[in-house]
Amino acid sequence: MSETSPVSPEPMGETEPQPGWRAREVERELPQLRLVFARAPLSPGAHRGGSPETVQRRLRALSDRFKGAHAVAVRREPVPAAYRVFYRQIGLDPEVAQTPIEAAVRERMLHGGFLSAGLLEDVLLMALIDTGVPVWALDTDAVQGCLGVRLSAEGEPLGRAADAWSLPGGRLVVADDTTALGLLFGELARDCATGARTRAVTLFAVQVSGVPNLYVEEALWICANALREAC
C-alpha cells in the first residue's frame, strides 16, 4: 500500500469543499494534482424520472450555448486544454480517451442537446459544462474517512465487493482510507457507485495544473446546491 499524507476523517454529514490527501509519491511526481470533495444529500428518486424544471431549463440553456464552432473549439479553451495536457502526462491519449468535457459536448452534438438522465447525472453535467471541471459522485455510505489519490498495489481490488476486479500495480486511483474506489478519470467501483438506496453523496473533482481553484470549488458548489434544493 502506498504511503499517504496524514488525514483527519470528518463526520459523514454535509461539508464544504475540502482538499483530499495525496500519497507521497503522487505529491513528488504530480505536485499540481489535487482532489477536492464535498458531501450533499440525495433525494429519493434522483436516479429515475425527470429532474426539476429549473434543472431542465438550465440544461436547455447550456445546449443552446454549445453549438457549432463553440462545440468544436471547446478543447482549446484553457480548462479543457489543461485536462488534455494532464491526460498526456499520465499516459492517456485524449484523442482516444476523451476528456469529460469533450465527451459531453460530443454527445450534445450527436443528440442535438444535453439530454436529461435524472437529477444526479444532470447536475454533474451542469457543473461540467459550466466550469469545464468534471465531478464524480460516490455513495457516502461506501466512503470510509476522506478521499485522496494514490497508486494502486498489484492485485488489489477496485472496491469492496467479493467479485471486484483486480487492479494492476501503479495505476492512479481515487481511494478512501482503506480501499481503491475508482480509477482516476475512469471507472468507479460498482459497490461504491450511487444507486436507488443512496441518500447522500460524496462529490469529488480532480484539479490539474492550469485549472483555477475557483473553478473546482464552483463545480462542487453547483452540484451540492442543486441537490440540496431538490431535497
Side-chain angles (χ1 to χ4, degrees), residues 6 53 59 72 128 130 143 160 175 210 220 223:
E53 179 57 29
L59 283 181
V72 172
L128 173 64
D130 258 335
V143 179
R160 300 184 178 89
L220 289 169
C223 293

Side-chain angles (χ1 to χ4, degrees), residues 43-53 55-56 116-120 122 230:
S43 61
H47 285 273
R48 59 184 184 274
S51 290
E53 179 57 29
V55 173
Q56 296 201 40
S116 177
L119 175 62
L120 180 58
D122 288 355

Side-chain angles (χ1 to χ4, degrees), residues 22 32 39 62 94 148 194:
R22 291 176 297 174
Q32 301 300 319
R39 299 185 179 100
L62 290 170
T194 60

Side-chain angles (χ1 to χ4, degrees), residues 23-231:
R24 290 190 176 91
E25 64 269 26
V26 175
E27 290 180 346
R28 288 192 299 267
E29 298 298 323
L30 300 167
Q32 301 300 319
L33 176 63
R34 179 172 174 249
L35 182 145
V36 185
F37 69 97
R39 299 185 179 100
L42 191 66
S43 61
H47 285 273
R48 59 184 184 274
S51 290
E53 179 57 29
T54 54
V55 173
Q56 296 201 40
R57 281 202 307 269
R58 183 62 182 148
L59 283 181
R60 289 194 293 269
L62 290 170
S63 294
D64 290 341
R65 197 172 90 193
F66 278 82
K67 290 182 178 179
H70 187 183
V72 172
V74 68
R75 63 171 58 187
R76 294 193 290 274
E77 295 177 357
V79 172
Y83 285 106
R84 288 177 64 85
V85 169
F86 184 78
Y87 265 39
R88 292 193 178 94
Q89 188 177 357
I90 62 174
L92 295 175
D93 182 354
E95 302 299 335
V96 177
Q98 286 187 310
T99 62
I101 184 66
E102 290 179 70
V105 171
R106 180 177 181 273
E107 288 298 303
R108 182 259 176 268
M109 299 303 289
L110 287 175
H111 298 292
F114 295 120
L115 303 183
S116 177
L119 175 62
L120 180 58
E121 292 300 321
D122 288 355
V123 299
L124 295 177
L125 179 59
M126 282 168 43
L128 173 64
I129 300 303
D130 258 335
T131 66
V133 175
V135 179
W136 292 266
L138 296 164
D139 189 323
T140 292
D141 286 343
V143 179
Q144 297 182 9
C146 295
L147 291 182
V149 181
R150 61 170 172 82
L151 298 179
S152 61
E154 183 68 36
E156 77 165 296
L158 183 66
R160 300 184 178 89
D163 61 347
W165 57 278
S166 298
L167 293 165
R171 294 290 298 273
L172 285 164
V173 295
V174 175
D176 63 11
D177 290 353
T178 66
T179 306
L181 306 182
L183 296 171
L184 192 72
F185 293 106
E187 183 177 354
L188 299 178
R190 294 190 305 274
D191 57 311
C192 302
T194 60
R197 296 184 178 181
T198 302
R199 293 297 175 263
V201 291
T202 298
L203 305 160
F204 71 89
V206 177
Q207 182 178 11
V208 301
S209 179
V211 177
N213 292 346
L214 180 62
Y215 283 57
V216 176
E217 293 168 3
E218 182 182 0
L220 289 169
W221 181 86
I222 288 169
C223 293
N225 190 58
L227 293 176
R228 290 184 188 111
E229 287 183 350
C231 284

